Amino acid sequence: MTDRRTHMRRTMLEREAELATVDEALDRLTGPAADGGGALLAFSGPAGLGKTTLLAELRRRAHVRHCTVLSARGGEQEQSQPFHVARQLLQPQLAGTNEEELRSALGSWYAIVAPALGLRAPEEGAPPDPQGLRDGLDWVLTHLAVQRAPMVLVLDDAHWADPESLGWLAAFAPRAEHLPLLLVVAYRPDELPAHAEAFRTLPGRAGQRPLSLEPLTADAVRTLVRETVGAHADEAFCREAWAVTAGNPFETVELTAKVRDRSLAPVESSAPLLRDLAAAQQGDGLVARLHSLGPATVRFAWACAVLGTAIPQEIAARVAALGTAEAVSATVRLRAARILSAAGEDGEGLEFVHPLIATALYRSIPEALRTALHGKAAAAVVDAGLGSSAAARHLLETHPESDPWVVRTLREAAGENLRAGAPEAARRQLARALLEPPDFGERAAVLYELGCASLLTEPATTVNHLRAALAEPFDDPALRQGIVIRLAQVLAHSDRLAEASEALAAEIPHTPDSRGRLRLTSEQFMWDAFRSDEPDSPARSRRLHRLADRDLTERYVIGLRAWDATLRGEPVDVVLHHARRALGDRFSWAEEDRGFEVPVLVALTHLYADRPGRAEELFEAGTAEFERQGWRGAHLSFAYGLHAYIRFRRGRLAEAEELARAGLSLAERVGRRTPVHWYAVAILIEILLARGRTDEAWDLARDHEYGEPFPAAVVFPDSQTVYAELLLARGDRKAATAELEAVDRRLTPRGIQNPSWCPWRLHLARAVAPDDPARARALTAEALRRARAFGAPSAIGQALRYAAEVAPAAERVALLTESVQLLAASPAGYELACSLAELGTALGDTEVLTRAVVTARECGADGLVAEATSTLLRLGGAPPGGPPAGEGPAEDALTEAERAVAELAVRTTPPPLVILDHPQRPADAALSVVYRKLGTDRAGLAEALAAAGAGSARP
């Protein structure tokens, strides 16, 4: 320990500025002026300039200040081992606890994070996506930083950290300033990967660029030489030492140690010998020095170079084919030669004195022998109980030899890594297994697993793997079905819906099992339901109708039947009947071998059928499943975005905007121009338009390149229709007309005619009305007819308002009055506010306009509030008081008075209409609020009231 401290002191020469920065950062974290925040520090420089020693001194000073210190080091040989650095950092803080304590420490992230940190084996089932795992690691580190504050996290050799850990820490880095956490990294600047750019820019309040370590000056080298070999070392000798080491601290310390060990006189006549001594520390000189220690020691050193860092002596001995006594002797010699040392501060295991030595020795191993040593290392770590994942990094370095054990080990490791949230590592391992190659009958399974591992990162490659798997001769119907379903899934999510359908259609006739055929058929129906170019949509609807009516077990078929009925505008009772059948007791959103699409569609059928309260219940349950599963990428973005859309349809625009922005933020992490990103933008545009922020919606569209070409999928809401609404709001009627007519050509041949789902006719009527009022009236009449056929009051009320807008003046009041009556008995608060404003304006009635302002304010429809208030003032009315926009009856719990009104209405068959076009009894206004709070229309009031529970009323 004394030698190590002496070495540290010597290599801290001319690091006063860096140490002052360290002390300043630690003062901000622990001193009297500490404010609970932290910072990010980075030290960069080529090898040997003292980064590791500086970090060791930083850790020592942090311990003196009673900081919790988390420490890790990247390893050149461990880069392919996922979460290697994350485990070094977090595992010591959590290891040794029983399962109950571990579950408490990791909270809801236990099942996701614990496998990645090596604290438990991954469970079978659908794996978390990488973003979900990163979020979980964020939570764990944040939790630890707060619980064990102040905390210092130190990462050395960050350039060699595994991609999973480094990507996570780089993304986490900006959070350090908001936590009692000092995050410190050291790296070689020329080797730092692009995904760690945060460590070059130092986000946060560090207020400086990375500190670049400089070589020692001649004065510092002189001091080092004289401290080591004696004050009598002359100037010429010291200057030559500086010249041959170029001021590199590591090389200088090593050189002076050799001068001392050889009792070389530190005088000018000895100076020429320094160059040879320096050469012996690196490259060929180092290798020659190693070989002088004997063959057994060479083999042991090579084994250590192959194994990497924190090397167990017994495993190195096995790889080197040495007995225990020989390994101990080799260790002694290598430590005496300053090649090996004890690993870390606890002294467990072995490591090289410096990474430069490890790299030089590893590269000096003859290639064939190096490959063989990796093979021996793989077997040794498995036999030592370290598992297939530890062996896989060695097997990646071996040559294919048709070894079934290699294939099996790599497949096991890939499965563990995939379930632990490291698909890229799994992909590398399976690609290597494919080269072995696997046995003839196993190749299809490996290709399938490779496709699953590549699904999230390389969809095009995944398609190739899965198609190659189908081309293999194998006899496993379950595997074949899984391959086809996965192929269709990746094609569909790549916006290649027609190809997805064709892949399923080609397989169905050759599937002997009836259940298997039905499963494939349901998958084909699902992707066809999203296609805008489906060749015979009515025929699919008829087949779907027949299957759903007779089959009581394939709930996905029944769910698709409910969605098909919604799109086609079949009566609400039919839609809800099939939706309830599909739901049964439980309809999971996160099954391993099923997509989430049909459960989402079933939830949305309730929305369009004026049961948004029930739709929200289903979305909340589904979102919770996604979060438990660690699906925090595309899945969770869809869930947030569509949940926002439900809130929008209910007229809770402020809440909807918040959810939509969260969904868009998640979508941007998945990637721009992806389907999930596109839909997130569309939903937020719709909400901003309703809030009266047209310019902001336009800027959003431009920033995200929203427009032509649109995705091939029929989605919710329809992207092209939203774009047309945006154009119309900006006054570009011509462009909006073109877009909406294109929607007509795309949807009408498929029989998708329900204005509750896509009110394109209503928007088109508004676009063409100034130039062609007759066409506008025909369009609204057809939309109103179809809305009445469907039967959702919100859809009918909206169609009536648009019809009033293009109708002759004498007909407008009657149309708007009916619109208000229907919308007041629906959950559509924003639509009600719009119709009240139109009716109040048409009548010149300040009472109705006052209701419009109050309702719009409750919804958060700021633009409508301003417009209706202006009209109200113009007519001599006074603006109503009340809470700010968006803070109306958003809370779902009914007041006692509202529950009493609701219960009375339920006992009245049918429940009464609510008339809000003129002053009414207080019960009318209360009942309208009840519909909006419970998220239901009149027909669903009894069911929604029962679901709300008898004890939920507020005073």
Side-chain angles (χ1 to χ4, degrees):
M1 184 61 73
T2 300
D3 288 345
R4 175 172 287 184
R5 286 177 178 170
T6 301
H7 172 84
M8 182 179 296
R9 179 176 57 80
R10 288 173 177 168
T11 51
M12 284 292 97
L13 284 173
E14 298 189 328
R15 296 293 180 246
E16 293 83 5
E18 290 81 0
L19 290 173
T21 301
V22 165
D23 286 335
E24 181 183 345
L26 289 172
D27 285 341
R28 286 204 303 267
L29 190 68
T30 65
D35 60 2
L40 170 63
L41 291 179
F43 300 99
S44 71
L49 286 193
K51 298 183 294 298
T52 296
T53 306
L54 182 61
L55 294 189
E57 175 63 13
L58 184 150
R59 290 197 300 271
R60 186 191 69 78
R61 296 186 183 198
H63 281 301
V64 168
R65 295 171 184 249
H66 307 291
C67 296
T68 302
V69 179
L70 277 57
S71 185
R73 186 174 186 174
E76 187 175 17
Q77 303 304 317
E78 288 87 355
Q79 293 179 79
S80 65
Q81 193 166 350
F83 309 116
H84 177 68
V85 161
R87 291 182 181 189
Q88 291 180 69
L89 291 170
L90 300 176
Q91 202 177 69
Q93 304 296 318
L94 301 167
T97 59
N98 60 42
E99 184 172 346
E100 182 179 350
E101 292 170 329
L102 186 60
R103 284 183 180 274
S104 176
L106 298 182
S108 61
W109 293 102
Y110 171 79
I112 298 165
V113 171
L117 296 180
L119 298 170
R120 55 160 284 179
E123 293 181 350
E124 294 294 332
D129 62 42
Q131 185 59 59
L133 178 56
R134 285 193 289 271
D135 288 347
L137 292 171
D138 284 353
W139 186 91
V140 171
L141 182 53
T142 300
H143 197 61
L144 286 173
V146 172
Q147 276 195 329
R148 305 182 188 185
M151 178 176 282
V152 176
L153 186 155
V154 180
L155 173 58
D156 196 5
D157 288 336
H159 52 281
W160 281 340
D162 62 278
E164 290 80 7
S165 297
L166 189 58
W168 159 56
L169 281 174
F172 182 87
R175 299 189 182 194
E177 68 171 325
H178 305 295
L179 295 168
L181 170 67
L182 175 61
L183 197 162
V184 187
V185 297
Y187 60 86
R188 300 179 191 173
D190 294 341
E191 300 181 45
L192 190 69
H195 57 268
E197 194 62 29
F199 299 140
R200 296 185 195 274
T201 57
L202 291 188
R205 64 176 182 179
Q208 57 195 356
R209 296 189 299 183
L211 298 173
S212 299
L213 303 189
E214 299 295 333
L216 299 177
T217 63
D219 288 342
V221 171
R222 181 190 310 115
T223 301
L224 274 176
V225 171
R226 288 175 175 172
E227 282 189 356
T228 305
V229 303
H232 60 288
D234 66 23
E235 181 65 27
F237 186 89
C238 294
R239 183 164 291 279
E240 182 63 13
W242 174 68
V244 299
T245 62
N248 185 291
F250 167 72
E251 294 181 14
T252 303
V253 169
E254 292 298 308
L255 178 63
T256 56
K258 286 181 174 58
V259 169
R260 181 194 59 200
D261 294 345
R262 296 193 179 194
S263 300
L264 186 67
V267 296
E268 184 174 3
S269 60
S270 301
L273 302 176
L274 292 178
R275 195 164 297 277
D276 290 338
L277 282 179
Q281 298 169 195
Q282 52 192 297
D284 294 340
L286 173 63
V287 172
R289 184 158 59 93
L290 172 65
H291 279 275
S292 70
L293 302 178
T297 304
V298 171
R299 292 205 310 274
F300 189 79
W302 282 349
C304 290
V306 164
L307 287 167
T309 57
I311 306 153
Q313 188 181 65
E314 61 276 12
I315 294 180
R318 175 172 171 180
V319 175
L322 298 177
T324 302
E326 289 177 296
V328 170
S329 177
T331 301
V332 170
R333 285 193 291 273
L334 289 166
R335 294 184 73 169
R338 299 179 59 79
I339 291 175
L340 283 183
S341 66
E345 297 174 0
D346 57 11
E348 292 186 6
L350 300 169
E351 70 179 10
F352 288 93
V353 168
H354 196 277
L356 282 171
I357 296 175
T359 299
L361 293 187
Y362 181 79
R363 294 174 182 174
S364 74
I365 306 171
E367 184 178 353
L369 179 57
R370 187 167 63 226
T371 300
L373 288 175
H374 275 296
K376 293 185 70 174
V381 297
V382 169
D383 291 346
L386 300 181
S388 56
S389 291
R393 75 173 181 89
H394 294 292
L395 294 176
L396 291 174
E397 304 299 329
T398 60
H399 295 313
E401 293 182 349
S402 300
D403 187 340
W405 179 82
V406 172
V407 175
R408 183 170 64 253
T409 304
L410 287 168
R411 288 182 68 187
E412 288 174 359
E416 290 176 9
N417 285 324
L418 189 60
R419 292 192 297 276
E424 181 57 25
R427 186 198 63 75
R428 291 193 302 268
Q429 290 154 359
L430 290 164
R432 171 62 185 82
L434 203 61
L435 296 175
E436 191 60 16
D439 289 340
F440 189 70
E442 195 178 6
R443 182 175 169 81
V446 175
L447 283 164
Y448 171 57
E449 291 164 8
L450 184 54
C452 293
S454 305
L455 179 63
L456 294 175
T457 55
E458 300 179 6
T461 303
T462 301
V463 169
N464 294 335
H465 290 320
L466 295 175
R467 283 186 166 148
L470 287 176
E472 290 292 319
F474 65 96
D475 187 20
D476 183 347
L479 174 60
R480 190 169 188 87
Q481 177 175 300
I483 294 170
V484 173
I485 288 172
R486 183 71 72 175
L487 174 60
Q489 182 182 21
V490 70
L491 287 168
H493 286 289
S494 301
D495 208 26
R496 297 160 66 181
L497 291 159
E499 292 180 63
S501 177
E502 290 163 5
L504 291 159
E507 191 63 27
I508 291 169
H510 305 292
T511 304
D513 174 63
S514 60
R515 295 304 305 168
R517 285 197 304 275
L518 185 59
R519 170 68 194 279
L520 294 174
T521 299
S522 71
E523 294 285 330
Q524 185 188 11
F525 281 162
M526 178 175 68
W527 300 126
D528 280 342
F530 293 123
R531 288 178 61 185
S532 59
D533 60 346
E534 186 181 10
D536 194 351
S537 180
R540 176 182 56 82
S541 292
R542 290 191 294 271
R543 290 182 61 207
L544 188 57
H545 192 154
R546 290 194 299 271
L547 276 173
D549 284 350
R550 77 165 187 257
D551 188 271
L552 300 178
T553 57
E554 183 54 69
R555 289 192 291 159
Y556 280 73
V557 170
I558 300 169
L560 288 167
R561 170 75 178 100
W563 180 245
D564 189 69
T566 299
L567 293 182
R568 295 180 181 284
E570 295 183 38
V572 162
D573 290 347
V574 173
V575 167
L576 292 174
H577 166 69
H578 291 301
R580 293 188 188 103
R581 288 177 65 211
L583 286 173
D585 297 328
R586 181 176 177 273
F587 205 27
S588 174
W589 290 39
E591 289 188 20
E592 181 180 9
D593 64 339
R594 290 281 196 176
F596 65 95
E597 292 83 4
V598 174
V600 166
L601 296 179
V602 171
L604 289 174
T605 58
H606 289 84
L607 169 66
Y608 295 114
D610 272 354
R611 303 291 197 279
R614 178 60 173 145
E616 283 211 63
E617 290 174 12
L618 296 171
F619 264 87
E620 286 164 2
T623 301
E625 275 197 88
F626 288 163
E627 291 177 331
R628 285 195 301 271
Q629 197 70 32
W631 293 356
R632 301 181 66 85
H635 293 81
L636 196 60
S637 175
F638 269 123
Y640 278 1
L642 292 175
H643 198 167
Y645 188 60
I646 296 172
R647 290 284 171 94
F648 159 72
R649 298 273 299 212
R650 291 184 75 169
R652 298 182 176 182
L653 303 183
E655 299 168 30
E657 182 180 345
E658 183 178 351
L659 279 168
R661 291 193 183 279
L664 179 56
S665 177
L666 287 170
E668 293 223 68
R669 297 195 303 189
V670 175
R672 288 201 168 197
R673 304 294 294 180
T674 57
V676 64
H677 173 253
W678 196 274
Y679 308 149
V681 173
I683 289 166
L684 184 53
I685 287 173
E686 188 100 273
I687 294 165
L688 291 173
L689 290 177
R691 301 204 73 181
R693 286 146 58 187
T694 302
D695 289 343
E696 187 177 341
W698 181 252
D699 290 342
L700 178 74
R702 298 282 66 76
D703 289 346
H704 292 267
E705 300 177 322
Y706 186 81
E708 303 274 4
F710 294 98
V714 174
V715 293
F716 16 82
D718 182 74
S719 299
Q720 194 168 10
T721 303
V722 172
Y723 186 61
E725 288 181 61
L726 179 57
L727 292 171
L728 197 55
R730 286 176 53 80
D732 193 345
R733 293 188 297 105
K734 183 177 180 180
T737 299
E739 296 293 346
L740 291 164
E741 287 174 341
V743 173
D744 179 13
R745 293 190 296 272
R746 181 163 50 85
L747 298 184
T748 300
R750 295 195 56 202
I752 299 176
Q753 300 288 334
N754 188 353
S756 183
W757 176 74
C758 182
W760 65 266
R761 281 189 176 87
L762 300 177
H763 298 302
L764 182 56
R766 177 176 285 174
V768 302
D771 302 321
D772 193 347
R775 184 186 178 194
R777 290 166 191 163
L779 286 164
T780 56
E782 179 61 15
L784 180 57
R785 184 184 70 79
R786 292 185 178 277
R788 291 190 191 279
F790 182 57
S794 64
I796 304 170
Q798 182 189 43
L800 285 163
R801 185 176 73 254
Y802 277 77
E805 187 176 334
V806 300
E811 300 174 13
R812 288 176 186 169
V813 170
L815 291 168
L816 289 170
T817 299
E818 186 184 359
S819 173
V820 167
Q821 290 174 346
L822 287 166
L823 290 169
S826 84
Y830 171 65
E831 294 296 334
L832 173 61
C834 291
S835 290
L836 282 168
E838 292 287 338
L839 180 59
T841 301
L843 292 170
D845 190 320
T846 57
E847 292 288 346
V848 176
L849 279 168
T850 298
R851 290 189 182 276
V853 172
V854 169
T855 307
R857 184 183 291 154
E858 291 170 355
C859 293
D862 310 281
L864 183 58
V865 169
E867 183 181 337
T869 300
S870 174
T871 305
L872 182 60
L873 291 171
R874 180 169 52 81
L875 293 174
E887 297 183 13
E891 188 175 340
D892 288 337
L894 301 178
T895 65
E896 292 177 359
E898 289 165 351
R899 175 168 287 279
V901 168
E903 289 172 347
L904 178 62
V906 166
R907 292 194 296 270
T908 305
T909 306
L913 275 173
V914 179
I915 311 299
L916 293 182
D917 56 328
H918 290 289
Q920 297 291 318
R921 294 174 299 115
D924 283 347
L927 189 54
S928 182
V929 170
V930 165
Y931 291 127
R932 301 201 295 279
K933 280 189 174 184
L934 295 182
T936 186
D937 62 1
R938 289 169 56 202
L941 179 59
E943 183 179 352
L945 190 61
S952 63
R954 295 184 290 109

